Amino acid sequence: MGGKEEIRIVDIAAMAGVSTGTVDRVIHNRGRVSAENTAKVEKVLREIGYRPNLAARALASNRKEFPIAVIAPSFDGPGYWSKVGEGMARALSELSQYNVAVDLLEFDQYDSGSFPVRIPGEKQYRGFVIATLFRHATEMLSEQLDKAGIPYVYIDSPIEGQNDLAYFGVDAYQSGRVAGKMLLREVGPEAEILVAHIRFGREDISLQMKERLAGISDYLAEHGHRGLTCELELDPDDPGSLETLSQYLSEVEGRAGAVVLNSRIYELAGMLEQVAPELREGVVAAGFEAIAPNVEAMKRGSVGFLISQRPELQGYDAVKALGDFLLHGKRPQKVNFMPIDIIIPENVDYYNNYKL
Amino acid sequence: MGGKEEIRIVDIAAMAGVSTGTVDRVIHNRGRVSAENTAKVEKVLREIGYRPNLAARALASNRKEFPIAVIAPSFDGPGYWSKVGEGMARALSELSQYNVAVDLLEFDQYDSGSFPVRIPGEKQYRGFVIATLFRHATEMLSEQLDKAGIPYVYIDSPIEGQNDLAYFGVDAYQSGRVAGKMLLREVGPEAEILVAHIRFGREDISLQMKERLAGISDYLAEHGHRGLTCELELDPDDPGSLETLSQYLSEVEGRAGAVVLNSRIYELAGMLEQVAPELREGVVAAGFEAIAPNVEAMKRGSVGFLISQRPELQGYDAVKALGDFLLHGKRPQKVNFMPIDIIIPENVDYYNNYKL
DNA sequence: TCATGTGGTGTGTGCGCACACACTGAGGGT
DNA sequence: ACCCTCAGTGTGTGCGCACACACCACATGA
C-alpha cells in the first residue's frame, strides 16, 4: 500500500529524448511541439502513468489565482443553505494550499429575477457552482459560460442535456418515498396523514417540495394507504393556526402522521408542544433536513424522524470537484446523488457529529 | 471565503531580526537557539499566526519517510474489513503526495495469539492504527508504543483510559437499538423475532455482536415486545439447517423478524429464498453492514433493512488523522463514533455510490 | 600556546515543477 | 545579400521550505 518511486519530468524528458520544457508543453498541451516529439512524450507518459507531484506543482504555480463563484441562496441563518456553505468552506480549506478563493453571489430564492443571467464581471472567475433553483435562468447563464469556456457545476436539482462539468444534488422524489415508507411504518395503514405547509411570506411551494410530496403519495398509494388525507396551512405566529391544528387532531383521534415538506418541521413541532398532550400523543411528525432546530425538536421528542440528503457533502463535493478539475484536470463523475439518510432519535447523536 | 497573503519564513526572520535558520529551529524546536531569540521568534509567530505552506514543506522534506503500520484482520474478501481497507486506501491516496506508506500487519480475528504484543521490528514505523478486537493484547502493545513515543489510533471499539491519539469506531450497542426499533416497526409488537447465528468454523460470538444483541433486546423490552424469542444456529451448507429454518417458520405462522448479528445476513437471505414462499412471506430479515452480498440480497427483496456504520469512513479517518498528525502536527478529536446508517431498499441505490 | 569542543547563528542547496526566456534554423520579403 | 518571423526547442530561475553545513565566539583541556 502506497509505495514511492515517483518519476519526474526530467526522467520523462530523458526517456523521450527531449528537454523538460518540451515535456511540460506536452503535459499542459500548450502547443509549439512537433508532432513527432508530442507522440514520443505521450507514449512515455502513457507507459509510466505519470502522476505529477502535486506539492511541487502547487509550489511552482502559486502565483496563479483560481477565483470561483458560487451562485446560490444566502448561507445565513440555520437553514439548509448554510449547511451547503459549511461543506464548501471545508472543501476550500483543503484547497487552501492552492490559490482557490470562493465568492458567494447570492440570489433570493423566492425571486427568480435576482438570479444573474449574465456572467458577473467583477472578476475573471475560473469556475462556477450554480444552484439550479431557477431552471430557465440557469440555462441562460450556462449558455454564456459554455461560450466563454468556463466550467460550471450544478447543485440542488439536475437539469438534463446541459454541459455542466458535474451535478451534485438530491433526489427529492426518492427521499419522499423514503419518508412515506417510514411514516407508514410509524403510524400504520389506518392512520390519517397530514401535510402541513409552513411558509414565509410570499414563499411558494418549490419544485423539490412537489417532488417530495409526490414520492410520499406514491409510496402510500402503492402500499395500501389511502394517501395524504389533509393539507393545512399553518403559521406559527398565528394563534388561529394553533386552533386549526388542535381541531384537526381532535378529529383524527388516535395515531396520525404529520409531514412538513420544507425544512421547517421544527415549527410544527413547536406548535404540537402547545396543544393538549392527549391530542398530540399518537402523532408522529416527520420532516426533512437535519438542521439544528429540527434536531433539537427531535431530541425533545416532538419529531419522529428526519430525512436528510447531506447538504454539507453537496457543497463540499461541488467545490472539491471544481477545484480538482481546475487545478489538476481531474474530471468528476457527471451525476452524483447524495445518500438519503434516515435520522431517528436513536441515531441522531452520531449524525451531526460527523462533518460529512 | 479563502483569501491569500501568506507570510513566509523569510518574512518572519526579518521581523524578528534573525536568520531563517533560527526561525526554522524555533518552529521545529530543535534547540540551539538562545532564550532571547526564541522569545523574539515565538512572539512574531504568535502575532501573525504563522501557517506554513504545506506544499513547500512537503516538497522540501520529501526524503522523509512515514511508514505507518495497520494492525487489523485481513482485508481480503467481501467483508467488513475490506471496506475499512478501502477507506484507508483512499486516505492514503490523498496523502500520497507525502511519503506516507501503509503496511498491513494482519492478525487472525479468531485467534488472539496472532495479535502482535510487541512493536514489529521490520521498519521504524512512525505511527500505528490498531483494531482493538483483543483488548488485553491491544493494551500491551499500546504500552510499548507509549514508551517508544510512537502515536497510535484505535479503530473498532473504544478502550478507556489509554493514550491513543484518537479513536474511530462504532457504537455497537446503539446500532443494536436502532435495529431493534426498525425491526419492531417492521413486524409489530406481537411478532416473533429470531436471532440466527451464522458462523464460520470455530468462530465465536464477538464483543461487538454481544453489544448489538443487547441493544436490540433492550430496545424491544423497553417498548412492550416480549423480546428475542428464539436463537438458531444455522449453517448455509447444511441441508439440516434449512429444515430447521422451515420448521421454525411454519411454527410462527405470520409475521416474524430475523436478525443476524454479524455481517452475514446474506446467508440467511439465501436460505430464506429456498424455503416455501408462503413460509417466508411475512418475514423481515435484518442485518448489519452494507457489504456487496447483503446489498444484493436486499435488492432481491430478501433483506428488509441493513444497519451500517461506515467502515470505509472509519478506515479513512483513522489513516487521515494519523497522517495529518505526523505530517502537520494536527491533533484530531479523541473519540469519534461513526454515524449509524439505516439502509432500506428505497435508499440503498444512493448509499453505496458514495465513497464515504 | 594550540587543538578541541560547544552553544549559537547564518548561508547554501535542492525538492519537482511552471513558466519566462533564449536560442536555432528554415522560410519569406526586400 | 540583408532582416524578420515563427515554429520548435532547450535552459534558467524561483516558488517556500527543511536541513546540511559553515561559521563564530568563547570555553576547556593539554
Side-chain angles (χ1 to χ4, degrees), chain A residues 224-240:
Chain A
H225 188 276
R226 66 190 178 288
L228 299 157
T229 43
C230 180
E231 297 200 20
L232 289 183
E233 294 279 338
L234 299 176
D235 178 351
D237 297 328
D238 171 20

Side-chain angles (χ1 to χ4, degrees), chain A residues 294-314:
Chain A
N294 288 351
V295 168
E296 284 158 22
M298 171 176 280
K299 290 195 174 185
R300 293 196 308 268
S302 305
V303 167
F305 67 87
L306 293 168
I307 305 297
S308 164
Q309 287 212 255
R310 302 204 201 164
E312 319 87 329
L313 184 58
Q314 202 182 131

Side-chain angles (χ1 to χ4, degrees), chain A residues 1-4 6 51-56 58-59 62 65 75 85-86 88-89 92 94-104 168 171 174 177-178 181-182 185-186 219 223 255 304 309-310 313 316-317 320 333 336-347 350-351 353-356, chain B residues 1-4 6 51-56 58-59 62 65 75 85-86 88-89 92-104 168 171 174 177-178 181-182 185-186 219 223 304 309-310 313 316-317 320 333 336-347 350-351 353-356:
Chain A
M1 241 166 155
K4 265 290 180 181
E6 296 303 338
R51 300 192 323 152
N53 180 322
L54 298 187
L59 188 59
N62 68 348
E65 298 260 320
F75 291 170
E86 281 172 31
M88 289 186 177
L92 194 58
E94 284 185 22
L95 260 33
S96 72
Q97 290 308 309
Y98 314 93
N99 270 4
V100 176
V102 170
D103 283 353
L104 173 61
F168 298 91
D171 185 338
Q174 195 62 24
R177 290 188 68 91
V178 172
K181 176 168 188 173
M182 291 294 292
R185 294 291 189 279
E186 288 282 340
Y219 186 89
H223 292 81
R255 292 195 82 70
Q309 287 212 255
R310 302 204 201 164
L313 184 58
Y316 174 86
D317 279 348
K320 198 75 192 302
Q333 189 181 312
N336 304 273
F337 285 103
M338 300 295 110
I340 300 172
D341 293 325
I342 300 165
I343 302 159
I344 57 180
E346 284 75 13
N347 69 4
Y350 296 141
Y351 187 72
N353 274 341
Y354 248 83
K355 53 278 172 184
L356 284 186
Chain B
M1 243 163 156
K4 267 289 181 181
E6 296 303 338
R51 299 193 321 152
N53 180 321
L54 298 187
L59 187 59
N62 68 346
E65 298 261 319
F75 292 169
E86 281 171 30
M88 289 186 177
L92 193 59
S93 84
E94 284 185 22
L95 260 34
S96 73
Q97 290 309 308
Y98 313 94
N99 270 5
V100 176
V102 169
D103 282 353
L104 174 61
F168 297 90
D171 185 338
Q174 195 63 25
R177 290 189 66 93
V178 171
K181 176 170 187 171
M182 292 294 292
R185 294 291 188 279
E186 288 283 340
Y219 186 90
H223 292 82
Q309 288 213 250
R310 303 204 202 163
L313 185 58
Y316 174 86
D317 278 350
K320 198 74 192 301
Q333 188 180 311
N336 305 271
F337 285 104
M338 299 296 111
I340 300 171
D341 292 324
I342 300 165
I343 303 158
I344 58 180
E346 284 76 15
N347 69 4
Y350 296 141
Y351 188 73
N353 274 341
Y354 249 82
K355 54 278 172 183
L356 283 184

